[in-house]
Amino acid sequence: MSGPRRPALHQGLATRLLIGQTLVLLAGALTVGLVAAVVGPPIFHDHLLQTGHPADSPELVHIELAYRDASLISLAWGLLISVVAAGVVTWFLARLLRRPLTELTHAARELARGHYAARVAIAGSGTELDTLAATFNVMADRLQGVEDTRRRLLSDLAHELRTPIATLAAYHEGLTDGVINLGPEARTVLVEQTARLARLADDIDEVSRAEEGRLLLDRRPVRVAELFSAAADALREPYAAKGVNLQLETSRALDALVEVDPTRVGQVLTNLLSNALRHTPAGGTVYLAARRDSPEVVLTVRDDGEGIPAAQLPHVFERFYRGDSARDRDRSGSGIGLTISKALVDAHSGSITATSDGPGQGATFRVSLPAATRNQRGEDHTPTA
């Protein structure tokens, strides 16, 4: 059997406000009464003697008793009126605070239940409460965004996994039933699909580690020209095979030094160049350029290909985002190359942006990286944290 229920220890806001004000009033009344009892009678007695009343006069005793009774009655009435006023003020404040706090509590409970659309109305209940409501709404917006991203991620991840898994399952069933022979063509398909799954797993792990700050970077001063040269050499053959020109624009910024992990930034440039190649038709051109924007160096990958609609620009760095399901995509990729690029750039304390004038107008990706500083001996370095 369970024991007797304990009385509730938590009291309402109005009760606590009233108790607090009553304690203050009682403390004030007690202080006033003690001061009046200790200081008032001697002073009053001295004034009576100064007016000519003899010290042993019976009238003097009655006058002092009248003074004492009047003081006590005045103090009692003052305390009573103060308590009533405190009750009225407490009721008004509690009523003013109860509605927004109740709404905030209800919205918090809805949020805890997974209803991320819950919001709190800003009703003008005071600067502090309005600020609290606005902050809660901002938090709810961010949680809803995170939840939407999580759901989209799971949906897109399932979509990305479905094709290679279905292909592997079909070939496995065909091999088991003897419909398909394990020849060169079947081996190629199995190897490609297995590699695709492995690459997808590696890319998801890499972007997660980068976004969580668990990515180790081997930073050192590197010339921009070296980064461009390595990325261009890696993709020169695919560009030539598709008939797309890869052009490096010359400028003094190519000699600038950036404090980066060359392997990771090379990966970013490779992803951007691969993305540009994917969406640039034969005969088009992809441009690599750099410029100084102290204290940063801006690396630019620009193409004259398909372009990006304005509504899609805010989403191009999201995992598995597809602006147009009918758009031709290179199915050898994992679908999160731009997401990885953004995470790697963020890990370098840089920024990456995408712009486009619209479909058919090409797209431009800009990567801003911190430039290496120079010490008094002219050696390039970046201060360690």
Side-chain angles (χ1 to χ4, degrees):
M1 295 178 60
S2 58
R5 296 182 59 185
R6 297 182 180 180
L9 298 178
H10 299 288
Q11 298 172 332
L13 179 62
T15 303
R16 284 181 286 167
L17 284 174
L18 182 59
I19 291 175
Q21 293 192 70
T22 302
L23 291 176
V24 172
L25 291 174
L26 290 176
L30 181 61
T31 302
V32 172
L34 290 175
V35 171
V38 174
V39 179
I43 295 177
F44 188 71
H45 182 78
D46 290 340
H47 279 284
L48 289 177
L49 293 180
Q50 292 175 10
T51 59
H53 289 279
D56 55 351
S57 171
E59 297 175 354
L60 187 63
V61 176
H62 288 288
I63 294 175
E64 290 180 340
L65 289 176
Y67 168 78
R68 185 195 64 184
D69 293 341
S71 298
L72 292 176
I73 293 174
S74 300
L75 184 61
W77 275 103
L79 178 61
L80 179 61
I81 293 174
S82 298
V83 171
V84 173
V88 173
V89 171
T90 298
W91 174 82
F92 176 76
L93 289 177
R95 184 179 180 184
L96 183 66
L97 296 175
R98 184 179 292 111
R99 185 169 64 87
L101 290 178
T102 300
E103 290 182 2
L104 185 62
T105 302
H106 175 73
R109 287 174 178 170
E110 290 297 306
L111 211 61
R113 294 171 56 190
H115 300 162
Y116 296 103
R119 297 294 184 272
V120 179
I122 301 177
S125 301
T127 303
E128 294 79 5
L129 287 175
D130 289 347
T131 302
L132 178 61
T135 304
F136 179 89
N137 290 337
V138 170
M139 179 190 68
D141 288 337
R142 292 182 178 179
L143 287 175
Q144 187 174 25
V146 171
E147 178 63 14
D148 291 341
T149 301
R150 184 187 68 84
R151 290 176 179 175
R152 187 167 58 252
L153 170 61
L154 293 176
S155 175
D156 291 339
L157 182 59
H159 180 85
E160 292 293 326
L161 291 173
R162 188 175 295 117
T163 299
I165 290 177
T167 302
L168 291 173
Y171 270 81
H172 181 270
E173 184 178 354
L175 291 171
T176 303
D177 296 340
V179 178
I180 299 176
N181 297 322
L182 189 59
E185 182 179 352
R187 291 178 184 273
T188 300
V189 172
L190 293 175
V191 169
E192 287 179 352
Q193 298 304 319
T194 304
R196 182 178 174 185
L197 288 174
R199 185 163 51 250
L200 178 61
D202 292 340
D203 286 348
I204 292 176
D205 178 66
E206 185 168 5
V207 72
S208 298
R209 287 190 294 114
E211 291 177 344
E212 295 170 5
R214 297 186 290 113
L215 194 65
L216 297 179
L217 300 176
D218 181 19
R219 299 194 187 194
R220 59 179 182 271
V222 183
R223 291 176 63 243
V224 172
E226 296 177 11
L227 295 172
F228 280 175
S229 177
D233 290 343
L235 291 172
R236 202 168 300 279
E237 183 177 344
Y239 268 74
K242 188 175 181 180
V244 176
N245 300 315
L246 179 57
Q247 183 173 329
L248 177 60
E249 297 181 352
T250 59
S251 67
R252 296 182 59 185
L254 293 178
D255 293 326
L257 291 173
V258 287
E259 187 76 11
V260 296
D261 183 331
T263 302
R264 296 300 184 179
V265 174
Q267 184 178 357
V268 172
L269 292 174
T270 300
N271 286 340
L272 295 179
L273 289 174
S274 298
N275 182 73
L277 175 63
R278 186 179 303 122
H279 301 299
T280 302
T285 304
V286 176
Y287 303 89
L288 270 175
R291 63 179 174 85
R292 288 296 300 264
D293 188 11
S294 183
E296 296 178 325
V297 177
V298 180
L299 314 182
T300 303
V301 177
R302 177 170 54 90
D303 66 71
D304 55 7
E306 299 174 4
I308 306 173
Q312 298 176 14
L313 282 173
H315 307 287
V316 294
F317 297 106
E318 295 179 4
R319 297 178 178 93
F320 308 116
Y321 177 75
R322 291 182 181 82
D324 183 358
S325 59
R327 193 175 185 179
D328 181 27
R329 295 183 64 212
D330 180 5
R331 302 308 300 178
S332 63
S334 64
I336 56 175
L338 292 180
T339 306
I340 294 176
S341 298
K342 184 179 186 307
L344 292 176
V345 172
D346 289 343
H348 283 85
S349 301
S351 61
I352 182 172
T353 59
T355 58
S356 176
D357 292 333
Q361 302 298 315
T364 301
F365 288 84
R366 294 181 177 87
V367 178
S368 298
L369 296 171
T373 58
R374 294 183 179 273
N375 59 20
Q376 295 179 352
R377 294 180 298 176
E379 298 173 351
D380 292 277
H381 75 288
T382 294
T384 57

